[in-house]
Amino acid sequence: MFFHKNYFFRLYFALPVIIVHCLIWSVVYCFNVGFISEVELDTSYMVLFTFYYTVLILLVWSYTMSTITDPGSIPENYKIEETEVNPDLEDSDMAKLSKAKRFCEKCDRHRPPRTHHCSLCNRCILKMDHHCPWIGNCVGFHNHRYFVQFLIYATIDCTLVGICCTSEFVKNNGDTNYYIYYGMVAGLGLGIMISALGGFHSWLLLSNWTSLELRPMDTYNVFDQGNWLKNLQQLCGKRLIGYILPIPTNKVGDGITYPINTVQRPVKSENSEAEPLY
Ligand SMILES: [Zn+2]
Ligand SMILES: [Zn+2]
């Protein structure tokens, strides 16, 4: 992305990433100068600040991983096999799994299920969720976990900074320095926004949706295995450490084929408007 041949696109991808780094480090700086260096370090503060810095390392690490990791592209030798079409599915589902519906005219090739074309990255992305300008990358099969980890760690640290600075602000009846004021506004503001986004994306992973596939609540999602752990494992693997650290892990899925769950398929009501998800 950052090596796009068009200079405008390079700037387009790089600028939001620079802004995110400015935000992260400005909040860290203000919290350090305005709060950490001012309080008397007792055991409880030592524990709190150790936790804060540990999460900060994980935050920057997961952000970097979501930025530099290729979200996934179609393998060179990919071909649609007729056996991929599940005969248990209804006609409408069959049609969506057919070759005709899975051909990208821009890339001039067939694509696996859940793969979509990103016009900004100018290629098809495996299990594409969305193109995120703030990481200068698409969120797809290989980096969705890093993206969600970043949101969770950012929520924790922003909220922690916001609460500490707010308590200091209240304790001094508003008579505080600008560092505390900035930490309070940025910490609480970012904490609320990022927590909403992190909650939404955590729910997507737990229920095996992507943002692009999201349909009304009565839509039956054939990719949902009916078990949140199995859904998570498709992206996060089976090792607990992969859920905590933004490290590469052996995923259960491969981003090309997906187990189809037809067991819990409800009978469609006569007046149901919702289309089943392919
Ligand atoms: Zn494409
Ligand atoms: Zn993209």
Side-chain angles (χ1 to χ4, degrees), residues 104 107 117 123-124:
C104 177
C107 299
H117 187 89
R123 65 190 174 106
C124 278

PDB file of all heavy atoms in Angstrom, residues 104 107 117 123-124, ligand 1:
ATOM      1  N   CYS A 104     -14.274 -11.947 -10.433  1.00  0.00           N
ATOM      2  CA  CYS A 104     -13.947 -10.524 -10.331  1.00  0.00           C
ATOM      3  C   CYS A 104     -13.526 -10.029 -11.712  1.00  0.00           C
ATOM      4  O   CYS A 104     -12.513 -10.482 -12.250  1.00  0.00           O
ATOM      5  CB  CYS A 104     -12.829 -10.294  -9.317  1.00  0.00           C
ATOM      6  SG  CYS A 104     -12.363  -8.553  -9.235  1.00  0.00           S
ATOM      7  N   CYS A 107     -10.076  -8.074 -11.596  1.00  0.00           N
ATOM      8  CA  CYS A 107      -8.871  -8.917 -11.522  1.00  0.00           C
ATOM      9  C   CYS A 107      -8.884  -9.986 -12.617  1.00  0.00           C
ATOM     10  O   CYS A 107      -7.878 -10.665 -12.822  1.00  0.00           O
ATOM     11  CB  CYS A 107      -8.776  -9.606 -10.168  1.00  0.00           C
ATOM     12  SG  CYS A 107      -8.655  -8.498  -8.778  1.00  0.00           S
ATOM     13  N   HIS A 117     -13.421  -7.413  -3.851  1.00  0.00           N
ATOM     14  CA  HIS A 117     -12.426  -6.561  -4.493  1.00  0.00           C
ATOM     15  C   HIS A 117     -12.355  -5.226  -3.770  1.00  0.00           C
ATOM     16  O   HIS A 117     -13.376  -4.598  -3.513  1.00  0.00           O
ATOM     17  CB  HIS A 117     -12.809  -6.339  -5.964  1.00  0.00           C
ATOM     18  CG  HIS A 117     -11.753  -5.614  -6.722  1.00  0.00           C
ATOM     19  ND1 HIS A 117     -10.718  -6.263  -7.367  1.00  0.00           N
ATOM     20  CD2 HIS A 117     -11.550  -4.292  -6.913  1.00  0.00           C
ATOM     21  CE1 HIS A 117      -9.937  -5.364  -7.935  1.00  0.00           C
ATOM     22  NE2 HIS A 117     -10.416  -4.165  -7.676  1.00  0.00           N
ATOM     23  N   ARG A 123      -7.125  -4.890  -5.688  1.00  0.00           N
ATOM     24  CA  ARG A 123      -7.025  -6.346  -5.763  1.00  0.00           C
ATOM     25  C   ARG A 123      -8.102  -6.977  -4.886  1.00  0.00           C
ATOM     26  O   ARG A 123      -8.730  -6.282  -4.064  1.00  0.00           O
ATOM     27  CB  ARG A 123      -5.642  -6.837  -5.328  1.00  0.00           C
ATOM     28  CG  ARG A 123      -5.323  -6.578  -3.879  1.00  0.00           C
ATOM     29  CD  ARG A 123      -3.862  -6.874  -3.596  1.00  0.00           C
ATOM     30  NE  ARG A 123      -3.486  -6.502  -2.261  1.00  0.00           N
ATOM     31  CZ  ARG A 123      -3.261  -7.366  -1.275  1.00  0.00           C
ATOM     32  NH1 ARG A 123      -3.368  -8.656  -1.473  1.00  0.00           N
ATOM     33  NH2 ARG A 123      -2.912  -6.943  -0.078  1.00  0.00           N
ATOM     34  N   CYS A 124      -8.281  -8.291  -5.068  1.00  0.00           N
ATOM     35  CA  CYS A 124      -9.259  -9.002  -4.252  1.00  0.00           C
ATOM     36  C   CYS A 124      -8.629  -9.381  -2.913  1.00  0.00           C
ATOM     37  O   CYS A 124      -7.463  -9.784  -2.869  1.00  0.00           O
ATOM     38  CB  CYS A 124      -9.731 -10.259  -4.987  1.00  0.00           C
ATOM     39  SG  CYS A 124     -11.014  -9.907  -6.197  1.00  0.00           S
TER      40      CYS A 124
HETATM   41 ZN    ZN B   1     -10.628  -8.331  -7.771  1.00  0.00          ZN
END
